[in-house]
Amino acid sequence: MNILAVETSCDETAAAVVADGRRMLSSVVASQVDVHHRYGGVVPELASRKHIEAIVPVVGEALDRSGVGPEGLDAVAATRGPGLVGALLVGFSFGKAYAYGRGLPFVGVNHLAGHINAVFLTEDPPAFPFVALLASGGHTALYHVTSHTRMRLMGQTRDDAAGEAFDKVAKMMGLGYPGGRVIGEMAERGDPQVISFPRSYLDKKGFDFSFSGLKTAVRRYLQLHADTFRDHMDDIAAGFQEAVVDVLSFKLMQAARQTGCPRVVLSGGVAANRRLRERVVAEASREGFEACLPPVSLCGDNAAMIGAAAFHELQRGTVSPLDADVYSRARLA
Ligand code: KG4
Ligand code: ZN
């Protein structure tokens, strides 16, 4: 089954064609970073307008590259939420109209289920059950995943998402938006032992996260060392990153131990972070767990992951009516 999938929940206009939830025939991602960069974050109204401009060419390119074209499609999917409502509406309305026009079934997909299903587009996908850490710009949560569509929320952030903390710290350090990738690159040149920032485990046995205290600690450090911090930016980035990675990897391993799952999965934009990937692979191997990491290209927002999740929704009979609406906030399971 070939699915055309569309993703417009934030600042990436993306389209992909995915076969049987497993094989990516094409995947096109048009980033709006240049548009939002000067504002230091995503401006929702600008995001919606840019999606409107980009959606037709991006879908056209995805269909061209797929090699199957419009006639080879069996269904259409689009991200339904959570995300920016105006941005979501562009892709969701486009998807519905396209499906209606071609007489194909349409299904709305949860963005978070999409991130978790990205791992099934890899050569060696995990078996069920597993524990998934979803760490992105909008979410940081742990899920006990027992099927493509059954994901039990174990814990989530009480304040900032991990990616949001990366972005805010980057902004404080004058590195622009989005800052996750830049901080990750700087951190590789720095020494994480030089500056020790606080790790917030909240209740150490629980699975909730908190990153706002860490962000405030970095702000205080930058204020205290206003004249000198520019001389050791790499060490600050490394110290901050290490604090985030310590907490994320600790809770992921603990969740796997507690649920008895022999596998852990990373997903979301922060899963592109080299240090996090390294640590999760090393700690999983020490504990005897299998670690499954999607390639970096599938960690950030893309439409292929939506196509992968959509396949399993359609398999279980889910079809969205044409009057279905998008949603801005939602919890999985
Ligand atoms: O999944 P995603 O593309 O969008 C959301 O659904 O939020 O995640 C974007 C987030 C941003 O906060 C970005 O700074 C972060 O992922 N990110 C990273 C890295 N690459 C992207 N954070 C840390 N290290 C990276 N290499
Ligand atoms: Zn995302």
Coordinates of all heavy atoms in Angstrom, one line a residue, residues 117-184:
N117 N 7.1 6.0 15.1 CA 7.1 5.0 14.0 C 8.2 5.2 13.0 O 8.5 4.4 12.1 CB 5.8 5.1 13.3 CG 4.7 4.1 13.9 OD1 4.8 2.9 13.7 ND2 3.9 4.7 14.7
A118 N 9.0 6.3 13.1 CA 10.1 6.6 12.2 C 11.1 5.4 12.3 O 11.8 5.1 11.3 CB 10.8 7.9 12.6
V119 N 11.2 4.8 13.4 CA 12.2 3.7 13.6 C 11.9 2.5 12.7 O 12.8 1.7 12.4 CB 12.4 3.3 15.1 CG1 11.2 2.5 15.5 CG2 13.7 2.6 15.3
F120 N 10.6 2.4 12.2 CA 10.2 1.2 11.4 C 10.6 1.5 9.9 O 10.4 0.6 9.1 CB 8.7 0.9 11.5 CG 8.4 0.5 12.9 CD1 7.9 1.3 13.8 CD2 8.8 -0.8 13.3 CE1 7.7 0.9 15.1 CE2 8.5 -1.3 14.6 CZ 8.0 -0.4 15.5
L121 N 11.2 2.6 9.6 CA 11.7 2.9 8.2 C 13.1 2.5 8.1 O 13.8 2.7 7.1 CB 11.5 4.4 7.9 CG 10.0 4.8 7.8 CD1 9.9 6.3 7.8 CD2 9.3 4.3 6.6
T122 N 13.7 1.9 9.2 CA 15.1 1.5 9.1 C 15.2 0.0 8.7 O 14.1 -0.7 8.7 CB 15.7 1.6 10.5 OG1 15.0 0.8 11.5 CG2 15.7 3.0 11.0
E123 N 16.3 -0.4 8.3 CA 16.6 -1.8 7.8 C 16.2 -2.8 8.9 O 15.7 -3.9 8.6 CB 18.0 -1.9 7.4 CG 18.4 -1.1 6.2 CD 19.0 -2.0 5.2 OE1 19.9 -2.8 5.5 OE2 18.7 -1.8 4.0
D124 N 16.5 -2.5 10.1 CA 16.4 -3.5 11.2 C 15.5 -3.0 12.3 O 16.0 -2.6 13.4 CB 17.8 -3.7 11.7 CG 17.9 -5.1 12.4 OD1 17.0 -5.8 12.3 OD2 18.9 -5.3 13.2
P125 N 14.2 -2.9 12.0 CA 13.3 -2.3 13.0 C 13.1 -3.1 14.3 O 13.4 -4.3 14.2 CB 12.0 -2.2 12.3 CG 12.0 -3.2 11.2 CD 13.5 -3.4 10.9
P126 N 12.8 -2.5 15.4 CA 12.7 -3.3 16.6 C 11.4 -4.1 16.7 O 10.4 -3.8 16.0 CB 12.6 -2.1 17.7 CG 12.0 -1.0 17.0 CD 12.5 -1.1 15.5
A127 N 11.5 -5.2 17.5 CA 10.3 -5.9 17.7 C 9.6 -5.2 18.9 O 10.2 -4.4 19.6 CB 10.7 -7.4 18.1
F128 N 8.3 -5.6 19.2 CA 7.6 -5.0 20.3 C 7.8 -6.0 21.5 O 8.0 -7.2 21.3 CB 6.1 -4.9 20.0 CG 5.8 -3.9 18.9 CD1 5.4 -4.3 17.7 CD2 6.0 -2.6 19.2 CE1 5.2 -3.4 16.7 CE2 5.7 -1.6 18.2 CZ 5.3 -2.1 16.9
P129 N 7.7 -5.6 22.8 CA 7.5 -4.2 23.2 C 8.9 -3.5 23.3 O 9.9 -4.1 23.4 CB 6.9 -4.3 24.6 CG 7.6 -5.6 25.1 CD 7.8 -6.5 23.9
F130 N 8.8 -2.1 23.3 CA 10.0 -1.3 23.6 C 9.6 -0.1 24.4 O 8.4 0.3 24.4 CB 10.8 -1.0 22.3 CG 10.0 -0.3 21.3 CD1 9.8 1.1 21.3 CD2 9.6 -1.0 20.1 CE1 9.2 1.7 20.3 CE2 8.9 -0.3 19.1 CZ 8.7 1.0 19.2
V131 N 10.6 0.6 24.9 CA 10.4 1.9 25.5 C 11.0 2.9 24.6 O 12.1 2.8 24.1 CB 11.1 2.0 26.9 CG1 11.0 3.4 27.4 CG2 10.5 1.0 27.9
A132 N 10.2 4.0 24.3 CA 10.7 5.0 23.4 C 10.8 6.3 24.1 O 9.9 6.7 24.9 CB 9.7 5.2 22.2
L133 N 12.0 7.0 23.9 CA 12.2 8.3 24.4 C 11.9 9.2 23.2 O 12.5 9.1 22.1 CB 13.6 8.5 24.8 CG 14.0 10.0 25.1 CD1 13.2 10.5 26.4 CD2 15.5 10.2 25.3
L134 N 10.9 10.1 23.4 CA 10.6 11.1 22.3 C 11.1 12.4 22.8 O 10.6 13.0 23.8 CB 9.1 11.1 22.1 CG 8.5 12.3 21.2 CD1 9.2 12.3 19.9 CD2 7.0 12.1 21.0
A135 N 12.1 13.0 22.2 CA 12.7 14.3 22.7 C 12.8 15.2 21.5 O 13.5 15.0 20.6 CB 14.1 14.0 23.3
S136 N 11.9 16.2 21.5 CA 11.9 17.1 20.4 C 11.8 18.6 20.9 O 12.0 18.8 22.1 CB 10.7 16.8 19.5 OG 9.5 17.2 20.1
G137 N 11.4 19.5 20.0 CA 11.4 20.9 20.4 C 10.1 21.2 21.2 O 10.0 22.1 22.0
G138 N 9.1 20.3 21.0 CA 7.8 20.6 21.7 C 7.5 19.5 22.7 O 6.6 19.8 23.6
H139 N 8.1 18.4 22.7 CA 7.8 17.3 23.6 C 9.0 16.6 24.2 O 10.0 16.5 23.5 CB 6.9 16.3 22.9 CG 5.6 16.8 22.4 ND1 5.5 17.4 21.2 CD2 4.4 17.0 23.0 CE1 4.3 17.9 21.1 NE2 3.6 17.6 22.2
T140 N 8.9 16.1 25.4 CA 9.9 15.2 25.9 C 9.1 14.2 26.8 O 8.5 14.6 27.8 CB 11.0 15.9 26.7 OG1 11.7 16.8 25.8 CG2 12.0 14.9 27.3
A141 N 9.1 12.9 26.4 CA 8.3 12.0 27.0 C 8.8 10.6 26.8 O 9.6 10.3 25.9 CB 6.8 12.0 26.5
L142 N 8.4 9.7 27.7 CA 8.7 8.3 27.6 C 7.5 7.5 27.4 O 6.4 7.7 28.1 CB 9.4 7.8 28.9 CG 10.9 8.2 29.1 CD1 11.3 8.0 30.5 CD2 11.8 7.3 28.2
Y143 N 7.5 6.5 26.5 CA 6.3 5.7 26.1 C 6.7 4.2 26.2 O 7.8 3.8 25.8 CB 5.8 6.0 24.7 CG 5.3 7.4 24.6 CD1 6.1 8.4 24.1 CD2 4.0 7.7 24.9 CE1 5.6 9.7 23.9 CE2 3.5 9.0 24.8 CZ 4.3 10.0 24.3 OH 3.9 11.3 24.1
H144 N 5.7 3.5 26.7 CA 5.9 2.0 26.7 C 5.1 1.6 25.4 O 3.8 1.8 25.4 CB 5.3 1.4 28.0 CG 5.4 -0.1 28.0 ND1 4.5 -0.9 28.7 CD2 6.2 -0.9 27.4 CE1 4.8 -2.1 28.6 NE2 5.9 -2.2 27.8
V145 N 5.8 1.1 24.4 CA 5.1 0.9 23.1 C 4.9 -0.6 22.9 O 5.9 -1.4 22.9 CB 6.0 1.5 22.0 CG1 5.3 1.3 20.6 CG2 6.3 2.9 22.3
T146 N 3.7 -1.0 22.7 CA 3.4 -2.4 22.6 C 2.9 -2.8 21.2 O 2.8 -4.0 20.9 CB 2.4 -2.9 23.6 OG1 1.3 -2.0 23.7 CG2 3.0 -3.0 25.0
S147 N 2.6 -1.8 20.4 CA 2.2 -2.0 18.9 C 2.4 -0.7 18.2 O 2.7 0.3 18.8 CB 0.8 -2.5 18.8 OG -0.1 -1.5 18.8
H148 N 2.2 -0.7 16.9 CA 2.4 0.5 16.1 C 1.5 1.6 16.6 O 1.7 2.8 16.4 CB 2.2 0.2 14.6 CG 3.3 -0.6 14.0 ND1 4.4 0.0 13.6 CD2 3.3 -1.9 13.7 CE1 5.2 -1.0 13.1 NE2 4.6 -2.1 13.1
T149 N 0.4 1.2 17.2 CA -0.6 2.2 17.5 C -0.9 2.3 19.0 O -1.7 3.1 19.5 CB -2.0 1.9 16.8 OG1 -2.3 0.6 17.0 CG2 -1.8 2.1 15.3
R150 N -0.2 1.4 19.8 CA -0.5 1.4 21.3 C 0.8 1.9 22.0 O 1.8 1.2 22.1 CB -0.9 0.1 21.8 CG -2.4 -0.2 21.3 CD -2.9 -1.5 21.8 NE -2.7 -1.7 23.3 CZ -2.5 -2.9 23.8 NH1 -2.5 -4.0 23.1 NH2 -2.4 -3.0 25.1
M151 N 0.7 3.1 22.6 CA 1.8 3.7 23.3 C 1.3 4.3 24.6 O 0.5 5.2 24.6 CB 2.3 4.9 22.4 CG 2.8 4.4 21.0 SD 2.7 5.6 19.8 CE 3.1 4.5 18.3
R152 N 1.8 3.7 25.7 CA 1.4 4.2 27.0 C 2.4 5.3 27.5 O 3.6 5.0 27.6 CB 1.3 3.1 28.0 CG 0.9 3.5 29.4 CD 0.7 2.3 30.3 NE 1.9 1.6 30.6 CZ 2.8 1.9 31.5 NH1 2.6 3.0 32.3 NH2 3.9 1.2 31.7
L153 N 1.8 6.4 27.8 CA 2.7 7.5 28.3 C 3.2 7.2 29.7 O 2.4 6.9 30.6 CB 1.9 8.8 28.4 CG 2.7 10.0 28.9 CD1 3.7 10.5 27.9 CD2 1.7 11.2 29.1
M154 N 4.5 7.1 29.9 CA 5.1 6.8 31.3 C 5.4 8.1 32.0 O 5.4 8.1 33.3 CB 6.3 5.9 31.1 CG 6.0 4.6 30.5 SD 7.6 3.6 30.4 CE 7.8 3.2 32.1
G155 N 5.8 9.1 31.3 CA 6.2 10.4 32.0 C 6.5 11.4 30.9 O 6.8 11.0 29.8
Q156 N 6.5 12.6 31.3 CA 6.8 13.7 30.3 C 7.4 14.9 31.1 O 7.3 15.0 32.3 CB 5.6 14.0 29.5 CG 4.5 14.6 30.4 CD 3.2 14.8 29.6 OE1 3.3 15.1 28.4 NE2 2.1 14.6 30.2
T157 N 7.8 15.9 30.3 CA 8.4 17.1 30.9 C 7.3 17.9 31.6 O 6.2 18.0 31.1 CB 9.2 17.9 29.9 OG1 9.8 19.0 30.7 CG2 8.3 18.5 28.8
R158 N 7.6 18.5 32.7 CA 6.7 19.3 33.4 C 6.8 20.8 33.0 O 6.1 21.6 33.4 CB 6.9 19.2 34.9 CG 6.6 17.8 35.4 CD 6.5 17.8 36.9 NE 6.4 16.5 37.4 CZ 6.5 16.1 38.7 NH1 6.7 17.1 39.6 NH2 6.5 14.9 39.1
D159 N 7.9 21.1 32.3 CA 8.1 22.5 31.8 C 8.6 22.5 30.4 O 7.9 22.2 29.5 CB 9.0 23.3 32.8 CG 10.2 22.4 33.4 OD1 10.9 21.9 32.5 OD2 10.3 22.3 34.6
D160 N 9.9 22.8 30.2 CA 10.5 22.9 28.9 C 10.7 21.5 28.3 O 11.1 20.5 29.0 CB 11.9 23.6 28.9 CG 11.7 25.1 29.2 OD1 10.6 25.6 29.2 OD2 12.7 25.7 29.5
A161 N 10.6 21.4 27.0 CA 11.0 20.1 26.3 C 12.6 20.2 26.2 O 13.2 21.3 26.2 CB 10.4 20.1 24.9
A162 N 13.2 19.0 26.0 CA 14.7 19.0 25.9 C 15.2 19.9 24.7 O 16.1 20.7 24.9 CB 15.1 17.6 25.7
G163 N 14.5 19.8 23.6 CA 14.9 20.6 22.4 C 14.7 22.0 22.6 O 15.5 22.9 22.2
E164 N 13.6 22.4 23.4 CA 13.4 23.8 23.7 C 14.5 24.3 24.6 O 14.9 25.4 24.4 CB 12.0 23.8 24.4 CG 11.4 25.1 24.7 CD 10.1 24.9 25.5 OE1 9.7 23.8 25.7 OE2 9.6 26.0 25.9
A165 N 15.0 23.5 25.5 CA 16.1 23.9 26.4 C 17.3 24.1 25.5 O 18.0 25.2 25.7 CB 16.4 22.8 27.5
F166 N 17.6 23.3 24.6 CA 18.8 23.5 23.7 C 18.6 24.8 22.9 O 19.5 25.6 22.8 CB 18.8 22.3 22.6 CG 19.7 21.2 23.0 CD1 19.2 20.1 23.7 CD2 21.1 21.2 22.8 CE1 20.0 19.0 24.1 CE2 21.9 20.1 23.1 CZ 21.4 19.0 23.8
D167 N 17.4 25.0 22.4 CA 17.1 26.2 21.6 C 17.3 27.5 22.5 O 17.8 28.5 22.1 CB 15.7 26.2 21.0 CG 15.6 25.1 19.9 OD1 16.7 24.7 19.4 OD2 14.5 24.7 19.7
K168 N 16.7 27.4 23.7 CA 16.8 28.6 24.6 C 18.2 28.9 25.0 O 18.6 30.1 25.1 CB 15.9 28.5 25.8 CG 14.4 28.6 25.4 CD 13.5 28.4 26.5 CE 12.0 28.6 26.1 NZ 11.0 28.2 27.2
V169 N 19.0 27.9 25.4 CA 20.4 28.1 25.8 C 21.2 28.6 24.6 O 22.0 29.6 24.8 CB 21.0 26.8 26.3 CG1 22.5 26.8 26.4 CG2 20.4 26.5 27.7
A170 N 20.9 28.1 23.4 CA 21.6 28.6 22.2 C 21.3 30.1 22.0 O 22.2 30.9 21.7 CB 21.2 27.8 21.0
K171 N 20.1 30.5 22.3 CA 19.7 31.9 22.1 C 20.4 32.8 23.1 O 20.9 33.8 22.8 CB 18.2 32.0 22.3 CG 17.6 33.3 21.7 CD 16.0 33.2 21.7 CE 15.4 34.5 21.4 NZ 14.0 34.5 21.5
M172 N 20.5 32.3 24.4 CA 21.2 33.0 25.4 C 22.6 33.2 25.1 O 23.3 34.2 25.4 CB 21.1 32.3 26.8 CG 19.8 32.2 27.4 SD 20.1 31.3 29.0 CE 18.8 30.1 29.0
M173 N 23.2 32.2 24.4 CA 24.6 32.3 24.1 C 24.9 33.0 22.8 O 26.0 33.1 22.3 CB 25.2 30.8 24.0 CG 25.3 30.1 25.3 SD 25.7 28.4 25.2 CE 27.4 28.4 24.8
G174 N 23.8 33.5 22.2 CA 23.9 34.3 21.0 C 24.1 33.4 19.7 O 24.7 33.9 18.7
L175 N 23.6 32.2 19.7 CA 23.9 31.3 18.6 C 22.7 31.2 17.6 O 22.8 30.4 16.7 CB 24.2 29.9 19.2 CG 25.4 29.8 20.1 CD1 25.5 28.4 20.8 CD2 26.7 30.1 19.3
G176 N 21.7 31.9 17.9 CA 20.6 31.9 16.9 C 19.6 30.7 17.1 O 19.8 29.9 18.0
Y177 N 18.6 30.7 16.2 CA 17.6 29.7 16.2 C 17.6 28.8 15.0 O 17.8 29.4 13.9 CB 16.2 30.3 16.4 CG 15.1 29.3 16.4 CD1 14.7 28.7 17.5 CD2 14.5 29.1 15.1 CE1 13.7 27.7 17.4 CE2 13.5 28.1 15.1 CZ 13.1 27.5 16.2 OH 12.1 26.5 16.1
P178 N 17.3 27.5 15.0 CA 17.2 26.7 16.2 C 18.6 26.3 16.6 O 19.5 26.2 15.7 CB 16.4 25.5 15.7 CG 16.7 25.4 14.2 CD 17.0 26.8 13.7
G179 N 18.8 26.1 17.9 CA 20.2 26.0 18.3 C 20.7 24.6 18.7 O 21.9 24.4 19.0
G180 N 19.8 23.6 18.6 CA 20.2 22.2 19.1 C 21.4 21.7 18.4 O 22.4 21.2 19.0
R181 N 21.4 21.8 17.1 CA 22.5 21.2 16.3 C 23.8 22.0 16.5 O 24.8 21.4 16.7 CB 22.1 21.3 14.8 CG 23.0 20.4 13.9 CD 22.4 20.3 12.5 NE 22.1 21.6 11.9 CZ 23.0 22.4 11.3 NH1 24.2 22.0 11.2 NH2 22.6 23.5 10.8
V182 N 23.7 23.3 16.6 CA 24.9 24.1 16.8 C 25.5 23.8 18.2 O 26.7 23.6 18.3 CB 24.5 25.7 16.8 CG1 25.8 26.5 16.9 CG2 23.8 26.0 15.5
I183 N 24.6 23.7 19.2 CA 25.2 23.4 20.6 C 25.8 22.0 20.5 O 26.9 21.8 21.1 CB 24.0 23.4 21.6 CG1 23.4 24.8 21.8 CG2 24.5 22.8 23.0 CD1 23.7 25.5 23.1
G184 N 25.2 21.1 19.8 CA 25.8 19.7 19.7 C 27.2 19.8 19.1 O 28.1 19.1 19.5

